[in-house]
Amino acid sequence: MILTGWHPRWLFAPGQIHRRRRHREGCSRLLTPFNRQAELLENRRVLYASPFELSGVVGQAGAVGFEVLGTGSDNSVGRAGDVNGDGLDDVIIGSPTFNGNVGRAFVLFGQPTNGSVALSGLGVGVAGFVIDGVAAGDVAGAAVAGLGDVNGDGLMDVGVTTSNASTGGRVYVVFGKTDQNAVSLANVALGVGGFVIDGAGVTGSSFSLAGAGDVNGDGLNDIVIGNPNGGTSLAGAAYVVFGKATTSAVMISDVVNQMTGLVL
């Protein structure tokens, strides 16, 4: 399927953001930071055999999705899963340069309607909540991801990185919740509504994270963190952190020693 047209905003097309169950077409929704003239996206099945004009996503009869108006500093996007337990999958968007490089992430709740929604209205008229960074230079939201149900409460959890944190790279695991109150990563660091993973990457480096599924078979979803400068001789490493219901901090050094995860 080819998406044609250009638009400097986040666009969402058919699949699981609208409903957790797949549509009869058998395709998941596609989401893209559309900053190129055309993007080729593949799925398990082809939704449209002919080119699909992105302008048809919003504001027209037969529209097939909704548009998200960003903040101007949005950099990353991911499928969050059903964070608030309403049966619709949600979206997480990272804005690492928001508020002087403090950074912010936006969790946008899924919706069955078409049209446009603005991230600036999140929690006030637009369903969802914000996740605020801690300090200038942390660039919270440089990488964001849905992690699955890490703590076993039935709600999907999300992850937000701070690549420039003084801790040598930090991942914040924010537990799913049904309210729309803002989340402060400073509170998550204290074990309120989630936990942190410290030492995920050297200061200033770029690293990534994703949900890993249940790697160790304990019924909790796990997390994988990639650090291109980690491991022996800075050759790169991936760390699998096991899911847990507690909110105590996890150290990558413990993962290396296979106490709370494993190294790939």
Side-chain angles (χ1 to χ4, degrees):
M1 175 182 69
I2 300 175
L3 304 184
T4 61
W6 182 89
H7 209 293
R9 291 176 281 195
W10 300 95
L11 298 160
F12 298 83
Q16 288 202 4
I17 294 168
H18 180 253
R19 298 196 182 280
R20 295 190 70 188
R21 292 189 179 90
R22 298 194 171 203
H23 287 277
R24 285 178 295 176
E25 295 94 336
C27 297
S28 296
R29 274 179 194 256
L30 307 173
L31 35 91
T32 172
F34 205 76
N35 55 7
R36 291 184 290 273
Q37 282 193 331
E39 188 94 14
L40 178 64
L41 297 102
E42 297 181 356
N43 210 318
R44 294 185 179 180
R45 300 183 186 177
V46 176
L47 179 59
Y48 297 105
S50 58
F52 172 67
E53 179 61 45
L54 282 176
S55 61
V57 171
V58 207
Q60 297 183 18
V64 293
F66 63 90
E67 169 185 61
V68 179
L69 309 180
T71 65
S73 60
D74 313 311
N75 183 70
S76 54
V77 64
R79 176 186 168 204
D82 187 5
V83 174
N84 64 331
D86 65 353
L88 304 178
D89 277 6
D90 308 316
V91 182
I92 183 168
I93 297 171
S95 297
T97 60
F98 186 87
N99 189 24
N101 292 333
V102 173
R104 168 178 275 187
F106 303 84
V107 176
L108 175 64
F109 294 160
Q111 62 176 45
T113 57
N114 300 317
S116 299
V117 296
L119 292 182
S120 59
L122 212 62
V124 185
V126 177
F129 60 89
V130 299
I131 302 172
D132 282 323
V134 179
D138 275 356
V139 291
V144 295
L147 304 177
D149 187 5
V150 173
N151 64 334
D153 65 353
L155 300 177
M156 300 300 107
D157 308 316
V158 297
V160 178
T161 69
T162 53
S163 297
N164 293 336
S166 60
T167 52
R170 173 176 276 181
V171 172
Y172 293 82
V173 178
V174 179
F175 294 155
K177 63 195 190 80
T178 58
D179 65 72
Q180 298 185 52
N181 297 329
V183 172
S184 169
L185 292 183
N187 289 335
V188 176
L190 297 175
V192 179
F195 63 89
V196 298
I197 303 170
D198 274 335
V202 295
T203 301
S205 73
S206 174
F207 59 100
S208 57
L209 79 157
D214 185 6
V215 173
N216 61 337
D218 64 354
L220 302 177
N221 278 18
D222 307 315
I223 305 160
V224 60
I225 301 167
N227 179 2
N229 297 319
T232 305
S233 302
L234 302 180
Y239 308 97
V240 176
V241 178
F242 297 150
K244 64 194 189 78
T246 62
T247 59
S248 56
V250 173
M251 298 299 299
I252 288 297
S253 57
D254 290 336
V255 175
V256 172
N257 294 327
Q258 297 186 359
M259 296 172 61
T260 56
L262 54 93
V263 182
L264 303 179

